[in-house]
Amino acid sequence: MADVHIDLQEGQAPSQTVHFLPCQIQHDGKAPIQQYFNPVIEEEAGVAGPAASAGTVYKATLRGRWLRGSTLPMQSGCKGVILQSVHKVENDQTDSHYHAKYSFKEVTCWNLETTPSDADSMVQAMLWPNTAQEIHAPLSSEQVATLADSVRKELLA
């Protein structure tokens, strides 16, 4: 079984603006992004977005279609990175090597014509690190006793 090696080069990956767009682009490689997607972002008044975005919603257009988006910060203690493969992987038995090409502290998630919400998969994914930490955190003996009492009461009711 092959290993995956990731070199984060802490502090060396330049910061980038990241947009999560509701489309698929049939291209893999470098592209002059600013030439194709450099939206004029306007704050949309009176519309609430996901809680993680402090409720701010933006609007923009992409090829004549309205987009609505919210900027979501990375969870506390997390840092986003865009990885680049150091060499082409020949097969699943070859080790993979990646290095951090760019870093980011927030992602602007865009929806096609609908307001972003807490139910969006990308919003939920951005919240997952803190959720996972809470799920896997050890319980104190007091918390265990409280949970046992509530289960006991439900079983006897």
Side-chain angles (χ1 to χ4, degrees), residues 31-130:
I33 301 301
Q34 280 74 16
Q35 182 179 341
Y36 299 105
F37 187 70
N38 191 8
V40 175
I41 301 173
E42 300 176 23
E43 191 169 324
E44 193 168 10
V47 180
S53 71
T56 304
V57 175
Y58 304 107
K59 62 182 180 176
T61 59
L62 176 65
R63 300 188 69 162
R65 301 281 308 267
W66 278 105
L67 300 175
R68 286 189 167 63
S70 290
T71 300
L72 305 169
M74 296 298 295
Q75 295 291 297
S76 176
C78 294
K79 177 181 181 180
V81 291
I82 297 172
L83 300 175
Q84 182 175 35
S85 179
V86 174
H87 61 81
K88 184 177 179 179
V89 177
E90 300 297 325
N91 57 50
D92 62 354
Q93 300 301 310
T94 306
D95 287 357
S96 302
H97 296 268
Y98 298 91
H99 76 273
K101 178 90 172 163
Y102 301 106
S103 65
F104 56 94
K105 295 180 180 164
E106 60 188 21
V107 176
T108 302
C109 298
W110 296 95
N111 284 345
L112 205 64
E113 300 173 358
T114 60
T115 302
S117 74
D118 290 327
D120 291 351
S121 59
M122 188 62 173
V123 173
Q124 292 177 359
M126 295 288 287
L127 296 173
W128 179 248
N130 281 359

Side-chain angles (χ1 to χ4, degrees), residues 128-148:
W128 179 248
N130 281 359
T131 304
Q133 187 175 12
E134 290 294 322
I135 290 171
H136 298 289
L139 296 174
S140 68
S141 56
E142 185 177 284
Q143 290 171 314
V144 171
T146 302
L147 286 171

